[in-house]
Amino acid sequence: MTGVVVTAEVRDVPLDLAAHEKAVSEARAGAVVSFQGVVRDHDHGRGVTLLEYEGHPTAGAILREVAAEIAEDPDVYAVAVSHRIGTLAIGDVALVAAVSTAHRAAAFAACARLVDEVKARLPIWKRQVFTDGTDEWVNCP
């Protein structure tokens, strides 16, 4: 992981895609791939009004661990990833990830691995509030 820039944080303020892309940009990178997970207005056929994300105290450390693992790939130059906690409205960004490499195929693959690992391992739970007034917790152990 020598020379690889890794930025990872869990935040309770809005996330900035451009800042993540800038964090991974460098002269040798021919590809910067990014992803935004955006709060949508539906889930499994039900209308959604908002989401609340709650994180375990270890969430930041685990996010940094996941980012560092992706950065171990010799094709990866830099990784930046953040997950938001708190109450999010429709259209708000919950997850931002960016990866840089020399070539696009490696960048797409690394960013996809990053997002998949974050979703699988990060101890952040989501409460969905539906348009009918009911709610549901998702990804709770």
Side-chain angles (χ1 to χ4, degrees):
M1 199 171 86
T2 305
V4 175
V5 174
V6 176
T7 304
E9 63 182 339
V10 174
R11 306 176 50 165
D12 63 357
V13 296
L15 304 179
D16 181 354
L17 177 64
H20 284 72
E21 291 172 339
K22 184 176 181 179
V24 302
S25 296
E26 55 179 86
R28 64 185 177 149
V32 171
V33 170
S34 58
F35 170 83
Q36 288 190 108
V38 180
V39 177
R40 63 183 181 269
D41 69 354
H42 66 279
D43 188 43
H44 300 294
R46 298 176 71 187
V48 173
T49 60
L50 64 88
L51 299 180
E52 291 179 355
Y53 286 96
E54 189 170 312
H56 189 273
T58 62
I62 292 171
L63 188 61
R64 289 186 292 278
E65 178 182 290
V66 169
E69 289 173 10
I70 298 302
E72 290 175 1
D73 181 330
D75 290 332
V76 172
Y77 296 153
V79 175
V81 59
S82 297
H83 200 296
R84 189 162 167 204
I85 56 173
T87 301
L88 282 72
I90 304 305
D92 285 348
V93 178
L95 172 65
V96 173
V99 176
S100 65
T101 66
H103 303 286
R104 72 178 174 271
F108 277 114
C111 193
R113 282 193 320 273
L114 175 60
V115 171
D116 288 346
E117 285 298 311
V118 166
K119 296 298 282 180
R121 294 170 44 192
L122 199 62
I124 290 182
W125 304 282
K126 175 173 68 176
R127 177 179 168 253
Q128 300 185 110
V129 178
F130 297 105
T131 54
D132 65 6
T134 62
D135 67 348
E136 163 184 79
W137 283 93
V138 181
N139 296 331
C140 291

